[in-house]
């Protein structure tokens, strides 16, 4: 059976527009549901409408009256849902988001904390708590919240959360981490020019820091110049082909000129880094030569001491051998002649003596 007023069909169409960031067409689809007698208090459509007004608040505009009007409409839609269902966590989370946008950060944080206590399986509230931490300049807590959200709710890299994480890294001054995170997001969504703009911005700032830092090595300076050239090309492209609904194309052109100015100073920084690198190499060479000389002297001293030790051992062995030889000569006795002739000769002489005595 075909029905032109089927709320499920209109909701699916509205969600399709939301996924494509087409806020106006999405608004009309959900309003179609709310304008029917049976759907005037449809919670899903009211929350979707509130989210549409929230997303509209994020669009660049200079009209403060429109901002206030969108805030009030979002609050009204979320409150209507809570009147019918006081335990609706999506409506409560939406009110917290509007309060945060109004600058009531602490009140928003309290609401998000209550929603999180009600359920820990609600990804949006984790992200909103992270956003509040960023607004309160508690960047490390925000980074931890975004990272936990990625681990708990997403099996694969999520572009939206990765961009939130990169922003927290950027504001915390952790530019290398911001760069790595944005490159992960770009692998998932290479066509997203917002990611490209943010990458160019991070590369520019990181390169600028490295060039200004006199302690940067030659390799770091050359890498910075290379990445600065990439950033310059990105900004030049975005200034012409970028999405003016998501960022200011004129700002991209300004950033491109700033990159060009930095590149014009790059040769000075490279020359300075080369000079420092050559001095450091010369210093390392000199230190290596000194260590080698010291090592040779130590080896020579060890060799001399070893030769002296061996000479002393030889002297002691010679002295001991002489002593043993001397002792052996002293202990040597004359041989006694025990032959018969010797005994006879000795006996005759005795008798003659006795005869003479008689």
């Amino acid at each position: 059976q075909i029905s032109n007023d089927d709320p499920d069909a209109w909701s699916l169409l509205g969600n399709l527009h939301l996924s494509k960031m087409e806020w106006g067409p999405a608004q009309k689809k959900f309003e179609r549901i709310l304008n029917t007698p049976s759907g005037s208090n449809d919670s899903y459509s009211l929350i979707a409408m509130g989210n549409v007004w929230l997303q509209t608040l994020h669009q660049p505009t200079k009209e403060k009256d429109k901002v206030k009007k969108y805030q009030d409409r979002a609050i009204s839609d979320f409150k209507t849902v809570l009147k019918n269902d006081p335990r609706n966590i999506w409506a409560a989370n939406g009110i917290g988001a509007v309060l945060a946008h109004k600058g009531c950060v602490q009140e928003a944080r309290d609401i998000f904390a209550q929603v999180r206590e009600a359920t820990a399986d609600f990804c949006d509230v984790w992200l909103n708590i992270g956003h509040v931490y960023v607004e309160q300049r508690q960047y490390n807590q925000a980074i931890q919240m975004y990272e936990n959200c990625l681990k708990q709710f997403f099996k694969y890299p999520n572009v939206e959360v990765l961009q939130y994480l990169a922003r927290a890294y950027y504001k915390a001054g952790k530019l290398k981490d911001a760069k790595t995170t944005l490159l992960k997001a770009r692998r998932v969504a290479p066509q997203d020019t917002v990611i490209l703009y943010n990458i160019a911005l991070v590369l520019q700032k990181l390169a600028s820091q490295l060039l200004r830092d006199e302690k940067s090595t030659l390799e770091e300076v050359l890498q910075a110049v290379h990445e600065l050239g990439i950033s310059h090309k990105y900004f030049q492209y975005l200034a012409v082909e970028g999405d003016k609904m998501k960022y200011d194309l004129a700002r991209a052109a300004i950033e491109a000129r700033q990159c060009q100015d930095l590149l014009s100073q790059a040769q000075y920084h490279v020359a300075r880094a080369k000079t420092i690198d050559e001095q450091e190499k010369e210093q390392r060479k000199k230190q290596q030569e000194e260590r080698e000389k010291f090592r040779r002297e130590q080896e020579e001293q060890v060799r001399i001491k070893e030769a002296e030790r061996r000479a002393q051992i030889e002297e002691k062995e010679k002295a001991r051998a002489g002593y043993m030889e001397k002792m052996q000569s002293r202990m040597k006795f004359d041989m006694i002649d025990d032959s018969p002739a010797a005994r006879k000769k000795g006996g005759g002489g005795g008798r003659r003596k006795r005869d003479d005595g008689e």
Side-chain angles (χ1 to χ4, degrees):
Q1 185 178 359
I2 298 176
S3 173
N4 290 331
D5 296 325
D6 184 77
D8 292 338
W10 288 111
S11 295
L12 290 171
L13 284 171
N15 287 335
L16 183 61
H17 288 301
L18 288 176
S19 65
K20 297 172 69 176
M21 297 184 181
E22 297 171 353
W23 315 123
Q27 175 188 343
K28 290 179 181 179
K29 300 303 182 291
F30 292 113
E31 284 179 344
R32 173 74 179 254
I33 299 172
L34 293 171
N35 289 332
T36 61
S38 59
S40 58
N41 290 319
D42 182 69
S43 297
Y44 189 91
S45 299
L46 285 167
I47 290 172
M49 284 296 299
N51 289 331
V52 167
W53 299 126
L54 270 177
Q55 292 295 339
T56 307
L57 288 172
H58 297 151
Q59 304 306 309
T61 179
K62 297 180 181 179
E63 299 181 28
K64 294 184 178 180
D65 293 339
K66 280 191 176 181
V67 171
K68 188 176 184 306
K69 181 175 70 173
Y70 295 152
Q71 289 173 346
D72 293 341
R73 285 184 177 180
I75 284 281
S76 175
D77 288 335
F78 292 134
K79 280 184 176 180
T80 302
V81 175
L82 285 176
K83 285 179 182 178
N84 299 325
D85 181 10
R87 300 179 65 84
N88 191 298
I89 58 174
W90 288 273
N93 180 68
I95 288 177
V98 177
L99 289 175
H101 197 277
K102 284 186 169 185
C104 306
V105 179
Q106 190 56 50
E107 292 81 355
R109 182 174 173 177
D110 293 340
I111 291 176
F112 294 142
Q114 291 177 28
V115 174
R116 192 181 174 195
E117 286 178 6
T119 175
D121 298 328
F122 188 25
C123 173
D124 290 2
V125 76
W126 287 60
L127 294 176
N128 286 333
I129 291 173
H131 300 339
V132 168
Y133 280 137
V134 170
E135 291 299 319
Q136 293 179 328
R137 299 186 180 181
Q138 299 177 16
Y139 302 123
N140 291 330
Q141 290 90 328
I143 290 167
Q144 186 176 2
M145 187 62 67
Y146 293 139
E147 287 178 342
N148 290 339
C149 185
L150 281 170
K151 292 176 184 177
Q152 182 158 342
F153 296 102
F154 302 98
K155 292 182 180 179
Y156 304 100
N158 181 276
V159 173
E160 182 182 3
V161 183
L162 285 172
Q163 289 187 84
Y164 295 148
L165 179 59
R167 182 187 63 161
Y169 277 131
Y170 181 85
K171 288 183 175 291
K174 300 178 179 181
L175 298 179
K176 290 184 179 179
D177 292 323
K179 170 186 165 185
T180 302
T181 305
L182 287 169
L183 290 175
K184 285 182 182 177
R186 192 169 183 228
R187 291 190 193 102
V188 180
Q191 76 288 348
D192 193 328
T193 58
V194 173
I195 296 175
L196 191 64
Y197 186 100
N198 289 331
I199 290 174
L201 197 63
V202 170
L203 290 178
Q204 182 202 61
K205 189 164 185 177
L206 188 58
S208 178
Q209 283 186 359
L210 288 171
L211 292 177
R212 287 199 305 267
D213 188 359
E214 295 184 357
K215 295 181 180 179
S216 297
T217 64
L218 177 60
E219 183 180 356
E220 289 174 336
V221 170
L222 292 174
Q223 180 69 18
V225 173
H226 173 69
E227 291 185 347
L228 191 58
I230 294 174
S231 177
H232 180 235
K233 290 180 181 178
Y234 285 171
F235 279 128
Q236 281 185 320
Y237 168 78
L238 293 169
V240 179
E241 303 293 338
D243 188 346
K244 62 182 179 181
M245 296 300 295
K246 296 179 180 179
Y247 47 82
D248 187 1
L249 301 188
R251 186 64 198 175
I254 293 172
E255 296 294 347
R257 288 194 294 272
Q258 189 171 349
C259 287
Q260 184 60 49
D261 292 341
L262 289 170
L263 284 170
S264 65
Q265 304 169 18
Q267 293 305 316
Y268 162 76
H269 295 293
V270 171
R272 184 200 66 197
K274 282 184 178 179
T275 303
I276 295 174
D277 185 67
E278 289 171 359
Q279 291 174 351
E280 289 178 349
K281 283 182 179 178
E282 186 66 28
Q283 184 68 18
R284 286 195 296 269
K285 183 180 178 182
K286 185 177 179 181
Q287 291 174 350
Q288 181 64 27
E289 290 174 352
E290 290 177 353
R291 285 195 295 268
E292 188 65 23
K293 181 181 177 182
F294 179 74
R295 185 183 63 79
R296 288 197 298 268
E297 289 175 353
Q298 291 293 105
E299 289 178 352
E300 182 65 19
Q301 290 179 7
V302 170
R303 189 187 64 76
I304 293 171
K305 287 182 180 179
E306 182 64 19
E308 291 176 352
R309 187 181 69 81
R310 288 180 179 177
Q312 289 176 358
I313 291 173
E314 289 176 0
E315 286 290 329
K316 288 180 181 180
E317 288 179 350
K318 286 180 180 179
R320 184 173 179 276
Y323 176 76
M324 293 296 293
E325 186 178 353
K326 187 175 180 181
M327 290 300 294
Q328 287 177 359
S329 63
R330 286 183 179 180
M331 293 175 66
K332 190 175 181 182
F333 296 99
D334 294 336
M335 298 298 293
I336 299 173
D337 194 355
D338 249 356
S339 64
R343 289 196 299 271
K344 184 175 181 181
K345 183 178 179 181
R351 284 195 295 273
R352 281 198 299 272
K353 287 180 182 179
R354 286 196 295 275
D355 289 343
D356 292 341
E358 292 176 352

